[in-house]
Each structure stands twice: as structure tokens, then as C-alpha cells.
Amino acid sequence: MDTYYTVWAEKTGDGAENLPAHALRRREARALIDAGAMERIALQEAISLVRLGVAGHLRIPHEEHLKDAVTRAVACAETLSLGAPVTIGKEPVTADCEPGSLQALACEATRERHRLLPPAAGLAGSDTYISPGWPNDKGCTRLAHKLVYEMGYSQAEVARIFEMVDGYDRPAMWTRQGINRILQKEYGSGESRYCKESGAASRRAGRLHLPGASLGLNVMAVLGDEGAETAAKRFDASLAEPHTAVFPIDPGPQDRGLATLMQTIMDHGSFRTLYVTSPDTVFSTPTQRRVVYDLALFRGVHVVEDGTRITAVDDNPGYSRLLREGTELFAVLRIRDNATVVEESRSRAHARKTAAELRSQGCSLREIAAELDEKAIPTSSGDGGWSTSTVTDLLGPEREAGR
């Protein structure tokens, strides 16, 4: 199944959206046409569908929808890293492009992030993580929860999606009632165990909001050859506020120790500083060094290399921006893997509030529908656009009958 990412609805002569009927649609607000990947909620959702094995192809109908070169490069690189094709307009995007180009650099950095922190990192051992392919009942329930409560699809639409892509052998076809049944079973004993994350919170940088930060464990992690720990302790003694502990890390074979360190930095707030000596021997490639440093800086961890504070991972500001935007997209997608992200600005409650305010100002139902379309707030079916009838349903027939 393909997922189509658009920044506004393209209409045919009869007013219908010009996309295949079977396609998954994720539509962005027009105001975000120039925004980076971190602010593009629908783009994150589209790539998430690929990560979850629901969609196998990301299609962007027009170049204008990803016209910023950096945003385009990191979004395509993240999707290509999953082994899924990307098409913009009618042209396929490939990772095998001109060496040194933005796309090539973005793909190289993305491959390194996935090598250190593969999609199954984080909470893979818990009930919240969905394995790509979701081949069991628990995975299906978890995915249904995400599609309904995160992406706004109706239960009937989720049943259609499951029927088209679910390869798990089942005794009956998927139906709206079937989706409702597995969700009700999950909620039957009270609040769902599936983690819900605020959209704003999922995009929060820094470390102070992470588990462990409130414990005051300001630890210094040390990477380096023999003598690195001594150098780190000497540096720590010179600080006005020394760390509570200095913890040496052995990168280990195939960077397993480094991968564990980066998972801790991304998911736990205990490390305040990353101290590195002899980076040429610690990191296997220059790209690995840049990626590790940028992930740490994004999480609010100080990076010190041979006694010198690092604030930018590359002398080229353009490449630094490419790394940072790739890091931001990667970080929020990891959270989407492990939690149902609730976007308040795209919720039905927000749509109802917006519609009621516009109606009180004398706006027509058609004008309200156009405004909700402009903001890309999903309809109850999760696809298509707003119309006078869907706005009437949103506001409530009794209210509209009295106008």
C-alpha cells in the first residue's frame, strides 16, 4: 500500500481529491510548506506508516511539497533507510546519488543512526512496541490503537487497511466491528496500557524531561583510549559543579557499547556530559563522530573532545543543519514507534472548537470547511476533505437546525 504525503489537497474537476482511492493519505497544513521535518506532523505520520510495515512506498505528488532541499533530503533518507522507495512527482529518489550531495550526506548519516539505534531500540521488549509486520494479535491491537488515536482513521478505515496489508492468518475478514472489539477488549479493564504522548512533548529536545533527570544523576560518560578516564576526572575537577560520577564506556566490538551509550542518552536523562579523547580511534568513521555528537547535543548533553567544548558538529553550517534536522526527525520517529502520539492541533476536539468559533463569527459552513482543510485537520474518516455536511456533523445537527 502507498502512502501519499501532500501539503494541500489537489482537487479534480468534480472537487474530489486527486489521489488513488486505496491510498493512505497524510495531508499537511499549507502553513507548513516551508517548515522543517520536526514541525511536519503529517510527514512524520507518513514515514511512521512505512516504519510499521503498513505502507511500502512514500509518494509525494509534487516537488513543491518538499521544496526545501534539507527537509527533502532527510525525509527521503529516513524512508530509504527502511528499504522503501520514495517518489516525488514521477521521479524516484535514490540513495545512490552524486557523492557529496545533500541526499548522499543525509543517507550516510541516517544509515549510521539506524546502525547505532535500530528501530527496535527503546521499548522493544515491552507491550508498547509494534514489530514491523505486526504478525500477532497484540501487535494488531497496538497498531489499531495508533491508527485510530494517533492518525485519526475511523475504525472502518482501519479495518480496510488491515484487510489490505495484514498477512497474518485469521479466521475472519477484518471489519469495523472487529477493530472496535479488539480496542474495547484493551480498554475493558480501565485505562489502556499503551503509552500516549503529547505531540508537543514528543518533539521536545533536551534531557531534563526524560526519566532519570529528576534523580539528579549528572553523570559524565567517557569514551577514549587508555588515560581517557584520568583526563576526564581532571577536567571534572576544574568545573564549578562537578559530576556525581565519571563513567568510562568501552565501545566494544561492532560498537555495541557505543550503541548502548546512545540509547541511554536518547531515552534517559542521567548523562550531563560526554567526554571524548582520541576521536580518531573511538569512532569508526567521521560520520559516526558527527552523528553521535549531534544526537548528544540534541538531548542537551555537553560534548567535550580532548578538553574542548564542542557546540557544532561540522564547520559547514549547511551540513550541521542537515545533521540536526535528520536527528530531530529520527528522534520523534523513535517516540512514535513506542507511543501513540496525540496531536492536539489535529484532534476532533480542536476541529470542533475552531468550527464553533468561526460559526459564532458568522462564517458559512463552506468557509469553515475551507479553513479546516487549510489547517489539515483530519475528518472522522481520516482521509478526504471537509464539506458542509462533515462540518454540520462536527458542530451537531441540533445546533445547526436552530440557526
Side-chain angles (χ1 to χ4, degrees):
M1 182 179 287
D2 295 352
T3 181
Y4 278 74
Y5 170 74
T6 59
V7 180
W8 60 82
E10 297 293 333
K11 304 290 186 180
T12 61
D14 60 3
E17 193 170 357
N18 188 23
L19 292 176
H22 66 277
L24 294 170
R25 300 164 174 82
R26 305 317 301 165
R27 190 169 63 210
E28 205 80 81
R30 188 187 294 265
L32 296 176
I33 187 67
D34 295 317
M38 183 65 115
E39 288 76 37
R40 293 197 172 205
I41 296 167
L43 180 61
Q44 295 162 19
E45 292 174 343
I47 298 174
S48 290
L49 289 169
V50 177
R51 287 171 71 94
L52 295 169
V54 176
H57 194 148
L58 176 62
R59 294 186 182 272
I60 298 97
H62 299 282
E63 285 277 353
E64 286 292 301
H65 296 176
L66 280 179
K67 65 180 180 179
D68 180 85
V70 169
T71 302
R72 169 182 167 145
V74 299
C76 291
E78 192 63 49
T79 308
L80 291 169
S81 71
L82 303 168
V86 181
T87 304
I88 299 181
K90 295 183 179 180
E91 296 297 321
V93 178
T94 65
D96 184 19
C97 49
E98 182 182 350
S101 66
L102 278 177
Q103 192 61 72
L105 293 170
C107 286
E108 185 180 15
T110 301
R111 282 193 295 268
E112 188 58 46
R113 292 187 197 98
H114 279 263
R115 196 172 75 83
L116 288 174
L117 295 167
L123 304 178
S126 75
D127 289 332
T128 64
Y129 183 75
I130 308 169
S131 299
W134 30 282
N136 52 48
D137 290 336
K138 185 183 293 185
C140 288
T141 305
R142 179 72 186 92
L143 181 61
H145 189 273
K146 282 185 72 70
L147 293 176
V148 171
Y149 296 104
E150 177 173 321
M151 299 190 189
Y153 288 112
S154 68
Q155 293 176 1
E157 185 72 3
V158 172
R160 185 183 70 87
I161 293 169
F162 275 30
E163 188 66 28
M164 292 185 70
V165 300
D166 181 16
Y168 189 53
D169 186 22
R170 297 180 188 281
M173 294 175 61
W174 283 108
T175 62
R176 178 184 63 79
Q177 292 85 355
I179 297 298
N180 183 63
R181 185 164 54 250
I182 63 174
L183 289 174
Q184 287 296 325
K185 181 180 179 181
E186 173 58 34
Y187 278 98
S189 58
E191 181 64 25
S192 169
R193 67 174 178 274
Y194 298 145
C195 174
K196 282 192 176 183
E197 185 86 24
S198 159
S202 73
R203 287 179 283 278
R204 190 183 304 161
R207 68 183 184 92
L208 296 182
H209 63 286
L210 297 176
S214 60
L215 300 177
L217 299 176
N218 291 316
V219 179
M220 178 189 288
V222 182
L223 284 170
D225 294 335
E226 185 178 352
E229 185 177 357
T230 300
K233 288 181 177 179
R234 187 165 54 247
F235 174 81
D236 186 51
S238 70
L239 300 176
E241 183 184 352
H243 296 75
T244 55
V246 175
F247 190 71
I249 303 291
D250 179 8
Q254 290 151 356
D255 298 322
R256 279 182 293 188
L258 184 59
T260 300
L261 169 65
M262 296 317 301
Q263 182 175 326
T264 304
I265 285 176
M266 291 299 290
D267 302 330
H268 200 275
S270 57
F271 286 116
R272 190 180 93 196
T273 302
L274 173 61
Y275 192 98
V276 179
T277 65
S278 307
D280 291 342
T281 59
V282 169
F283 302 112
S284 56
T285 64
T287 297
Q288 185 180 79
R289 170 185 171 271
R290 295 186 184 103
V291 165
V292 167
Y293 285 2
D294 199 66
L295 286 166
L297 291 170
F298 171 77
R299 270 291 171 245
V301 175
H302 301 159
V303 177
V304 180
E305 185 178 272
D306 290 328
T308 301
R309 178 84 174 269
I310 302 293
T311 55
V313 294
D314 196 86
D315 294 335
N316 183 333
Y319 188 32
S320 290
R321 186 201 156 196
L322 182 78
L323 285 163
R324 175 44 54 93
E325 190 160 338
T327 291
E328 291 173 343
L329 179 59
F330 177 78
V332 73
L333 288 172
R334 286 183 82 246
I335 291 175
R336 285 182 179 274
D337 280 350
N338 294 304
T340 295
V341 176
V342 180
E343 299 288 354
E344 295 84 353
S345 64
R346 289 163 64 88
S347 68
R348 193 163 179 81
H350 180 70
R352 185 178 294 107
K353 179 182 178 182
T354 300
E357 290 175 350
L358 292 172
R359 197 64 167 148
S360 68
Q361 295 167 14
C363 293
S364 68
L365 295 176
R366 190 176 299 278
E367 289 171 331
I368 295 171
E371 179 69 14
L372 296 179
D373 264 340
E374 181 82 7
K375 293 184 176 179
I377 301 175
T379 57
S380 59
S381 65
D383 66 344
W386 289 92
S387 64
T388 56
S389 61
T390 55
V391 172
T392 299
D393 291 342
L394 180 72
L395 291 171
E398 298 84 1
R399 176 171 179 172
E400 286 306 300
R403 293 189 68 88

